[in-house]
Amino acid sequence: MKIAMSSRVYSKKGGVSRYVAELAERFAEEHEVHIFSSKWEDVGNDKIIFHKTPLPPGPILVEAGTYFLEMSALSRLMRSRFDIIHTEGLESAWLDVVTAHSIHRGAMEAMKCIGELKPIGAMDKFLLAIEKINYQKCRNYRKIICDSSSSKQELMDFYEVPAEDIAVVPLGVNAEEFKPLDKRSLKPLRDKYGIDDGDLVLLIVATEFYRKGITELINAVNILINERGYKTIKLLVVGKARIEGSRKGDTYYRELAAKLGIAKNVIFTGSASDLNAHYNLGDIFVFPTKYEAFGIPTLEAMSCGLPVINSKIGAGELITDSHDGLLLDDANNVKEIADKIETLVVDETLRVNLGENARKTAKKYTWDIIARQTMNVYEEVLRC
């Protein structure tokens, strides 16, 4: 099979860009794989054929718009050359398979419901227009892949996409890269962040701090420390914060922790090169995200053997409540977040059992398995 895949950036860093890289490496073992990208790194397979799609320097809107036009033209011209053309996100108007990693209208509606919808900007208008063109007006796709059932439902609700046009295939995890480590090997990293032997570490990995619920998480930690007396709890926030409206970087969150008197208990690491080691610093992974198409950090944390507390959306759909994690009914409810954390703080046996089961669950979603499921979608498309 001749497969063309596009990704504006081809890399194993990040969830969306990693998706194409992981699938391409596996497909290239048996098929001819071509990657169309403006930039690539972490290339681990010399069987993959790369094609440069040049982009002009400029703001992200110019880059995204140019790439969309380039890939739309290329996809239409290449249809006779390839068996499958697979793009991620909103990168082309002519394709066989598109993976809808998120539904921008869904994200905006979610933020609107909690009163945090920022003024609609040019990039928002661009993404909404492309969604409408691809999913409602033109529908030049042959199949859409969604990372979760919640994203599938959004496509059906907002753009009236027929259910039979959508396949749900979650993102995957490399269970050999993200795995439990001997805690003794982590002492230098624990010392770096001031984590003592008796501390219980809550962990979150994120870049969009507000959407991922870090405000609520800090407030929940405040309840646990100052109202319920769990003085040895520490919250480790891994990731470099993006600018979200008036919240510029992590300044807002540092000031919030200081205002609550828990600045010493909330640790901001910034970007981390060794994510597996940082996951293993945690005792409990907490992800009270307000909107998520998937949320790959949840699956990576589970693969590392951490018990997880998660919203019901995105990767939360993979969790069986009280078996391999705890699910939040309302990710905006600070008391509920604190209660779920306290449940695991006081019950070490439950914490260990959930972590062991989480690792077993994560192994059901390795990239090898996800690649096979994606190939099944390709084969279905070719049969039609």
Side-chain angles (χ1 to χ4, degrees):
M1 188 184 299
K2 289 184 67 174
I3 303 168
M5 306 180 77
S6 81
S7 178
R8 200 156 12 124
V9 177
Y10 180 97
S11 169
K12 287 189 178 179
K13 298 173 184 175
V16 174
S17 56
R18 182 165 196 158
Y19 171 81
V20 171
E22 295 285 1
L23 293 184
E25 285 192 3
R26 285 156 180 80
F27 293 158
E29 295 303 313
E30 298 182 17
H31 305 279
E32 183 179 319
V33 176
H34 295 249
I35 298 294
F36 292 81
S37 180
S38 64
K39 178 183 178 182
W40 50 83
E41 55 188 49
D42 302 326
V43 178
N45 193 323
D46 57 8
K47 296 179 181 178
I48 300 172
I49 303 165
F50 286 86
H51 304 270
K52 182 80 170 180
T53 51
L55 292 177
I60 185 65
L61 178 58
V62 173
E63 185 178 300
T66 302
Y67 194 80
F68 174 79
L69 293 173
E70 286 180 349
M71 285 310 304
S72 294
L74 280 170
S75 297
R76 191 167 187 179
L77 291 171
M78 294 187 305
R79 275 199 149 171
S80 61
R81 290 182 51 199
F82 294 97
D83 298 303
I84 289 289
I85 298 174
H86 184 175
T87 69
E88 60 167 335
L90 302 171
E91 295 182 346
S92 172
W94 294 89
L95 38 92
D96 294 309
V97 178
V98 58
T99 296
H101 287 294
S102 66
I103 314 303
H104 195 66
R105 184 172 169 185
M108 294 183 69
E109 289 292 330
M111 300 306 281
K112 180 180 178 181
C113 286
I114 57 174
E116 282 290 334
L117 180 63
K118 62 184 179 181
I120 295 178
M123 191 64 180
D124 294 312
K125 293 177 181 178
F126 169 76
L127 292 173
L128 291 172
I130 299 304
E131 280 188 352
K132 193 164 189 176
I133 289 170
N134 274 9
Y135 301 141
Q136 192 169 43
K137 294 290 186 182
C138 296
R139 291 185 178 168
N140 290 316
Y141 61 79
R142 296 166 72 183
K143 200 75 173 182
I144 299 172
I145 294 176
C146 284
D147 300 334
S148 62
S149 296
S150 52
S151 290
K152 175 180 179 177
Q153 191 62 52
E154 286 173 351
L155 282 178
M156 294 166 62
D157 291 344
F158 295 137
Y159 298 111
E160 300 177 331
V161 177
E164 59 270 21
D165 287 1
I166 308 169
V168 176
V169 180
L171 298 184
V173 68
N174 186 333
E176 294 306 311
E177 177 182 353
F178 295 98
K179 60 186 178 182
L181 297 176
D182 185 336
K183 298 296 183 183
R184 291 172 296 183
S185 68
L186 300 172
K187 189 177 186 310
L189 203 54
R190 291 176 68 90
D191 290 344
K192 174 183 176 180
Y193 295 127
I195 300 171
D196 298 326
D197 289 342
D199 290 339
L200 188 141
V201 180
L202 309 177
L203 176 76
I204 184 169
V205 176
T207 54
E208 295 174 77
F209 281 16
Y210 184 79
R211 181 166 65 83
K212 306 294 184 177
I214 291 180
T215 302
E216 288 74 19
L217 185 50
I218 290 174
N219 280 299
V221 170
N222 174 56
I223 290 174
L224 291 164
I225 293 173
N226 290 326
E227 296 182 17
R228 302 184 186 178
Y230 296 102
K231 303 296 184 182
T232 58
I233 284 180
K234 287 189 175 172
L235 171 61
L236 195 66
V237 181
V238 179
K240 183 178 180 180
R242 296 180 184 175
I243 295 175
E244 297 175 277
S246 62
R247 300 173 180 84
K248 302 186 185 302
D250 60 19
T251 303
Y252 170 85
Y253 305 94
R254 289 180 183 274
E255 290 176 350
L256 174 61
K259 180 181 177 182
L260 296 171
I262 56 172
K264 292 183 179 179
N265 298 79
V266 182
I267 304 160
F268 296 88
T269 72
S271 299
S273 57
D274 189 349
L275 265 181
N276 186 51
H278 282 74
Y279 277 118
N280 275 272
L281 289 175
D283 296 294
I284 304 167
F285 184 79
V286 191
F287 203 62
T289 180
K290 305 173 190 304
Y291 174 83
E292 206 70 46
F294 189 76
I296 203 167
T298 295
L299 190 56
E300 291 172 345
M302 293 173 73
S303 186
C304 290
L306 292 186
V308 297
I309 298 172
N310 211 89
S311 304
K312 290 183 176 180
I313 54 177
E317 295 175 7
L318 309 182
I319 296 169
T320 301
D321 195 29
S322 299
H323 172 70
D324 47 17
L326 299 179
L327 293 172
L328 295 165
D329 290 318
D330 181 2
N332 297 304
N333 187 325
V334 173
K335 183 179 180 299
E336 184 190 359
I337 297 170
D339 289 345
K340 297 284 188 182
I341 294 171
E342 186 176 23
T343 296
L344 296 186
V345 169
V346 301
D347 193 337
E348 183 179 0
T349 300
L350 177 61
R351 203 163 67 231
V352 170
N353 288 341
L354 291 184
E356 290 176 350
N357 289 335
R359 171 75 174 165
K360 293 174 184 176
T361 297
K363 286 184 175 181
K364 298 177 183 177
Y365 300 96
T366 64
W367 283 114
D368 288 340
I369 292 171
I370 300 308
R372 286 198 294 272
Q373 292 180 7
T374 305
M375 183 56 65
N376 290 340
V377 174
Y378 291 178
E379 291 170 351
E380 178 189 343
V381 166
L382 292 177
R383 285 195 299 269
C384 295

